[in-house]
Amino acid sequence: PITYLGYVKRDDIEIVIEKPKKKNGQRREYEIDKIMQIQNIIRRAIVTSKKTLIYFPTVALINRTYEYLRSIHEVENVAVYYGTLTKEEKQQSYEKFLSKEKLVMFATKAFGMGIDIDDIELVVHFAPTGNVCDYVQEIGRAARKKSLKGEALYYYNTRDFKHINRLHGLSTIQ
């Protein structure tokens, strides 16, 4: 086990962890449930006009989520950003998000490298990151503008840990 000691001084970010309730007799489909949560977050961003950054553990999950939401016409306010996009695609997504032409950004941790947008108000994680240091760095994208209050939101599901296990497995490959 790894122990992290320290304090992150960001009083302007509220960390919210929710465990959605299952109604009696309701069947749960992990990925569909997660995508429905993302759909609600997109709608929230539109209603509140708040820039929202949603981190995904893999490009495949971004693509599946985006394609499903595209099929139901829910992506007109969504940009995507990950390492294997072309430089032009990344720049275009960045600029649309920066200008609020797109209020929501689906991204992998590649979005954190060299990106400085000060008016992101909500940072969401599809699944937990690989470690606490990455999580703190990623939620630190919220509320960089002094006048903003940020929120780090995560919908907990015990099956999310398959993503962490996969990421840890990939990081041990030499």
Side-chain angles (χ1 to χ4, degrees):
I2 299 171
T3 302
Y4 294 96
L5 300 174
Y7 173 73
V8 178
K9 188 173 171 66
R10 287 295 304 269
D11 296 330
D12 56 350
I13 299 175
E14 178 184 7
I15 297 174
V16 178
I17 301 171
E18 294 185 10
K19 184 175 182 182
K21 303 265 190 270
K22 179 180 169 184
K23 296 176 184 155
N24 286 339
Q26 182 183 21
R27 191 171 164 184
R28 306 299 294 214
E29 295 293 333
Y30 172 75
E31 202 162 297
I32 292 171
D33 290 346
K34 285 291 196 171
I35 292 171
M36 295 299 105
Q37 290 164 354
I38 298 298
Q39 182 181 20
N40 289 332
I41 291 164
I42 293 168
R43 290 175 179 171
R44 173 184 168 185
I46 294 165
V47 168
T48 62
S49 191
K50 291 183 178 181
K51 262 189 210 170
T52 301
L53 172 57
I54 304 175
Y55 279 108
F56 289 79
T58 65
V59 172
L61 271 174
I62 288 176
N63 289 332
R64 282 198 304 272
T65 302
Y66 187 88
E67 285 307 311
Y68 174 78
L69 293 172
R70 186 176 65 75
S71 75
I72 59 171
H73 310 288
E74 292 277 351
V75 292
E76 56 274 0
N77 288 290
V78 178
V80 296
Y81 193 107
Y82 48 85
T84 56
L85 291 174
T86 66
K87 186 176 181 177
E88 293 78 25
E89 289 170 320
K90 286 188 258 191
Q91 186 64 31
Q92 185 177 43
S93 286
Y94 170 81
E95 287 173 7
K96 287 181 178 183
F97 187 60
L98 181 65
S99 70
K100 276 191 156 180
E101 182 180 336
K102 304 280 186 177
L103 282 169
V104 178
M105 176 68 79
F106 287 3
T108 60
K109 64 172 36 181
F111 187 75
M113 305 302 175
I115 301 296
D116 189 19
I117 298 175
D118 67 357
D119 60 345
I120 297 170
E121 293 186 65
L122 178 61
V123 175
V124 179
H125 282 81
F126 184 95
T129 58
N131 64 57
V132 173
C133 293
D134 287 348
Y135 182 74
V136 169
Q137 186 272 334
E138 290 164 7
I139 68 170
R141 299 273 162 230
R144 289 188 167 189
K145 185 184 287 185
K146 297 289 183 208
S147 62
L148 293 179
K149 287 287 189 185
E151 180 182 345
L153 175 62
Y154 168 59
Y155 289 107
Y156 172 79
N157 186 310
T158 55
R159 291 186 276 173
D160 287 337
F161 290 93
K162 72 180 182 178
H163 300 294
I164 290 177
N165 294 337
R166 184 179 303 130
L167 291 172
H168 280 292
L170 290 173
S171 69
T172 60
I173 296 173
Q174 300 283 337

